Amino acid sequence: MAVETADGETVEDPVAYFLQDMTYHGRTERTREAYERVLRRFEAFLADADANPMGAERRVERASHRDCMAWIHSLRGSDAADSTVATYATYLHRFYAYMTQVGAFEGNPMTLVMEEMDEQIDANPSRREISVPAMREFLRGVHHPLDHAVLCTLLKTGMRVGELCNLDCRDVSLADGTPLGDVSKRAQLDGRGPSLYVSAEPSAGETTNGERRTASNKRKRSTVVPVDGELEIALARWLAVRPDVRSPAEPLFVSTSGSWGERLTTDMVHHLVERHAAERGWHRAGGDAEENVTPHYFRHFFTTHLRDRTGDRGIVKYLRGDVGGDIIDTYTHNWGDSVRETYERHIYSLL
């Protein structure tokens, strides 16, 4: 059964259409082959009526969230590693998100599945648990202004590594007089006080704000995240010594070592976090995800502690960028009274 895009283009094979567009977007052959293996495997699963929870053969354009959940369940039953399951789920989620965006599909059945998987990961009982006092002591031992600002941003906002790397100075609003380079802040930050704008726009390989990006943001919608006094101090301290940059985008975080003045990459941030975590005994070579503290652990830390303190899952999902539509509109329109007030009342102290 063929589908049509919003431009009226007939699509007989949605997977092939998606892979062709990946080529146009500059994705490597290796990446396209990886996506094709996963998506064709999902197609085969849908074609197997015995495996389908609805008891009938399906095509990808007609798959429901229950079909997707059943496939994820089957992967776990095949003894696939948790990291493999998460990667396959991400591939399928991106496929459906793109086909929905171009108008070929009516919706993304993986949205609910990904939200549930995020909560399962965050609630993993075998994951290392670090208390707020222990994290506070850890952060106090990090003295380099860049390292301290990066770690504090991850811990105070719960943003993903790619989102942190993609921050530009225009995405930051701090107290008057703080040097932010030769740029104007985004209009979305007007009247919000100290805050960060985390855009849903940047994608790896595409140009945003005059610079080709190496990382993608994965937010369903752009989000304004409050900056409390501690994070403001950390950012201002970093900005006071930030090197001259090599990009017209004026990236917020840039290297102070071999790639002097260039935007931090996700690999740089991973190395930064792992180095400090190893000094604390929280990371070792060959350790598993439950044992090692990585940048994603800070997202888990933020989610767990802020959710427990506020009792408001909606605001935590908003801050993480996990929700869209009416929910995010509600928090956006009532940002000052709802988001900032709740955040400032409950965010943990790390200094």
Side-chain angles (χ1 to χ4, degrees):
M1 182 180 72
V3 295
E4 284 191 0
T5 67
D7 295 331
E9 182 178 356
T10 299
V11 178
E12 297 285 350
D13 183 346
V15 172
Y17 177 91
F18 173 70
L19 294 171
Q20 185 65 61
D21 277 17
M22 290 186 74
T23 302
Y24 296 150
H25 286 301
R27 302 299 190 267
T28 66
E29 181 179 359
R30 181 178 179 183
T31 297
R32 298 195 304 272
E33 289 175 349
Y35 270 87
E36 183 168 24
R37 284 194 300 271
V38 173
L39 296 176
R40 296 302 185 190
R41 181 170 176 176
F42 179 62
E43 275 190 325
F45 172 82
L46 293 176
D48 184 354
D50 292 335
N52 194 287
M54 306 304 291
E57 181 180 339
R58 297 264 192 176
R59 288 174 55 88
V60 290
E61 63 268 23
R62 299 292 300 275
S64 68
H65 77 278
R66 293 196 70 216
D67 295 321
C68 296
M69 286 193 295
W71 185 60
I72 297 298
H73 179 72
S74 73
L75 293 175
R76 293 186 178 119
S78 66
D79 294 327
D82 288 345
S83 58
T84 300
V85 174
T87 297
Y88 284 14
T90 298
Y91 284 6
L92 191 59
H93 179 52
R94 290 175 181 168
F95 164 70
Y96 275 112
Y98 186 80
M99 296 305 290
T100 301
Q101 186 176 8
V102 300
F105 293 174
E106 293 183 0
N108 183 352
M110 279 296 294
T111 299
L112 289 175
V113 180
M114 295 300 289
E115 288 183 5
E116 179 63 25
M117 289 181 71
D118 273 348
E119 291 197 7
Q120 288 177 358
I121 292 170
D122 287 332
N124 187 345
S126 62
R127 184 187 293 272
R128 178 192 292 273
E129 288 300 327
I130 299 175
S131 66
V132 171
M135 190 63 78
R136 184 180 300 128
E137 185 178 351
F138 164 73
L139 192 60
R140 284 174 176 171
V142 178
H143 302 295
H144 191 288
L146 172 62
D147 295 7
H148 188 271
V150 165
L151 294 173
C152 195
T153 301
L154 291 172
L155 284 164
K156 288 282 190 171
T157 68
M159 69 175 63
R160 300 173 178 89
V161 178
E163 295 167 346
L164 177 136
C165 292
N166 277 323
L167 286 173
D168 296 332
C169 282
R170 66 172 181 162
D171 300 319
V172 186
S173 175
L174 299 181
D176 292 342
T178 299
L180 292 175
D182 188 22
V183 295
S184 299
K185 69 180 180 183
R186 287 182 181 267
Q188 294 92 333
L189 296 174
D190 289 345
R192 298 297 179 97
S195 50
L196 298 173
Y197 183 83
V198 188
S199 175
E201 177 185 347
S203 296
E206 298 183 0
T207 299
T208 300
N209 199 20
E211 180 187 346
R212 184 179 175 86
R213 303 304 172 105
T214 62
S216 298
N217 288 9
K218 301 177 182 178
R219 302 211 158 212
K220 294 182 174 64
R221 291 273 295 276
S222 300
T223 311
V224 178
V225 180
V227 168
D228 73 343
E230 292 182 353
L231 179 54
E232 186 171 16
I233 290 171
L235 291 174
R237 181 169 167 249
W238 156 242
L239 287 164
V241 299
R242 170 175 164 268
D244 291 337
V245 301
R246 302 182 180 182
S247 165
E250 289 281 346
L252 176 61
F253 294 117
V254 298
S255 174
T256 58
S257 55
S259 301
W260 184 270
E262 295 183 359
R263 183 185 300 273
L264 287 188
T265 66
T266 56
D267 284 344
M268 291 178 188
V269 176
H270 274 277
H271 289 315
L272 182 158
V273 171
E274 290 167 6
R275 173 166 49 83
H276 288 291
E279 292 173 357
R280 184 74 179 180
W282 292 349
H283 189 284
R284 67 177 181 85
D288 57 27
E290 287 74 25
E291 175 186 0
N292 282 344
V293 169
T294 64
H296 187 74
Y297 180 86
F298 296 141
R299 186 167 168 82
H300 155 76
F301 182 91
F302 173 86
T303 301
T304 300
H305 287 283
L306 199 60
R307 190 167 55 199
D308 290 348
R309 286 164 173 252
T310 64
D312 189 334
R313 301 171 70 88
I315 281 184
V316 175
K317 284 178 174 289
Y318 166 85
L319 293 169
R320 283 171 48 108
D322 290 341
V323 293
D326 293 341
I327 296 176
I328 203 167
D329 286 340
T330 297
Y331 287 117
T332 299
H333 294 152
N334 195 30
W335 192 86
D337 293 335
S338 181
V339 178
R340 179 175 285 285
E341 181 179 331
T342 301
Y343 178 89
E344 290 183 339
R345 188 164 63 249
H346 296 287
I347 190 64
Y348 36 79
S349 173
L350 292 175
L351 296 181

